[in-house]
Amino acid sequence: MANLFGGYSPPQQQFFQYQQQPQNNSVMVVTVQGEAGARVYPVAAGNTVLLIDFDAKKFWLKSTDLNGMPSRFVAFNFTEEIKQSADSGNFISRTEFNELKQSIDTQFKQLLDTIRGGGGNVATTSTVNAESSNVPATI
């Protein structure tokens, strides 16, 4: 084959394939103050940052694409998860408590009416007051 360039051969061109950088799947966690602090926090290209504001009980996920352009900014609220203890069956609701209180109040009023009325073997109010006045005071 004849050399068309008169003894000069141009350098061989090497073509490099574009290799996409592997995505960094790690998430960095940072504390910020409010949504304004979360919005201005810089995120490196192709990364995601978890931005937490413990005072406001909120957190944000902020991501950028491989070119460094913002691709995601999502806000979340978080609350403490309260687990039920093993003895959670020992508690009653407010409604059940109010019903029980009303029932006890009714029974107590009936008992007082019976005592004041002097019915049966129950001591009368005057007897109770007389007995309580004979009790010596303790210091």
Side-chain angles (χ1 to χ4, degrees), residues 60-110:
W60 298 268
L61 283 176
K62 186 174 183 180
S63 301
T64 58
D65 61 14
L66 292 175
N67 296 323
M69 297 301 296
S71 62
R72 183 174 186 201
F73 186 79
V74 185
F76 298 92
N77 292 320
F78 67 90
T79 57
E80 180 181 359
E81 181 179 324
I82 301 174
K83 295 186 178 187
Q84 297 291 333
S85 61
D87 64 346
S88 63
N90 294 334
F91 298 100
I92 61 173
S93 68
R94 174 56 73 179
T95 304
E96 292 172 320
F97 173 78
N98 289 337
E99 290 172 358
L100 179 63
K101 182 181 179 293
Q102 185 176 3
S103 172
I104 290 173
D105 286 345
T106 304
Q107 292 174 6
F108 185 69
K109 286 178 185 175
Q110 289 173 352

Side-chain angles (χ1 to χ4, degrees), residues 108-129 131:
F108 185 69
K109 286 178 185 175
Q110 289 173 352
L111 180 63
L112 284 178
D113 289 344
T114 303
I115 290 173
R116 289 182 184 140
N121 279 338
V122 180
T124 62
T125 306
S126 59
T127 307
V128 171
N129 288 338
E131 290 176 5

Side-chain angles (χ1 to χ4, degrees), residues 7-28:
Y8 171 78
S9 52
Q12 297 291 327
Q13 291 183 343
Q14 294 182 351
F15 294 99
F16 294 101
Q17 280 190 333
Y18 173 73
Q19 293 181 351
Q20 186 176 9
Q21 295 177 349
Q23 280 209 321
N24 186 359
N25 289 333
S26 66
V27 176
M28 193 165 82

Side-chain angles (χ1 to χ4, degrees), residues 132-139:
S132 64
S133 62
N134 293 333
V135 176
T138 58
I139 299 177

